[in-house]
């Protein structure tokens, strides 16, 4: 014997719709909170040494601006800066080798 109420499927439909709406709202809230957290984290850590928490100051090293800690003297590189320094060193080494061949 079927006990299904005629409006059951309609209720289910609206319950599912409401659930989807709440889930979307929760996801939006999570995204806002994550962005807020990332912003706060950046504000807290920006130009601070990852090792000792000291203030970082920009210095020019091999024509590249790197961040140096005023407390522990650690030097920190941004993305791509190590490659730039290595490229300069490679070029220097190549020039040294060429010079050897020229002189020899
Ligand atoms: Zn430091």
């Amino acid at each position: 014997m079927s006990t299904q109420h005629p409006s059951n499927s309609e209720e289910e439909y609206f319950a599912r719709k409401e659930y989807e709406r709440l889930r979307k709202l929760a996801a939006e809230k999570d995204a806002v909170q994550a962005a807020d957290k990332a912003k706060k984290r950046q504000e807290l850590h920006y130009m601070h040494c990852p090792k000792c928490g000291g203030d970082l100051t920009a210095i020019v090293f091999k024509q590249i601006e790197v961040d140096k800690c005023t407390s522990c003297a650690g030097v920190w590189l941004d993305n791509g800066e190590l490659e730039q320094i290595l490229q300069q060193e490679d070029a220097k080494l190549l020039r040294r080798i060429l010079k050897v061949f020229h002189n020899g």
Side-chain angles (χ1 to χ4, degrees), residues 9-99:
S9 64
E10 201 175 301
E11 277 172 21
E12 254 176 51
Y13 172 79
F14 284 111
R16 204 162 44 232
K17 275 269 186 195
E18 179 63 3
Y19 171 74
E20 288 301 327
R21 191 184 70 85
L22 291 174
R23 210 171 70 143
K24 203 177 157 197
L25 271 179
E28 282 166 6
K29 201 177 145 198
D30 282 353
V32 168
Q33 280 176 345
D36 199 43
K37 214 171 148 185
K39 196 179 162 212
K40 279 194 181 122
R41 191 175 53 221
Q42 198 200 4
E43 281 170 3
L44 196 66
H45 295 281
Y46 186 71
M47 288 306 270
H48 285 112
C49 178
K51 266 197 173 171
C52 75
D55 289 331
L56 296 179
T57 185
I59 59 157
V60 176
F61 175 72
K62 295 193 184 280
Q63 294 156 5
I64 291 157
E65 204 179 87
V66 298
D67 301 322
K68 185 168 184 164
C69 178
T70 55
S71 180
C72 75
V75 173
W76 309 104
L77 303 172
D78 286 340
N79 185 27
E81 285 179 342
L82 180 62
E83 288 81 355
Q84 284 179 48
I85 291 169
L86 290 176
Q87 271 172 16
Q88 283 184 24
E89 289 305 304
D90 283 351
K92 225 183 268 174
L93 184 66
L94 200 63
R95 276 198 297 272
R96 235 179 275 157
I97 292 167
L98 288 173
K99 209 174 163 188

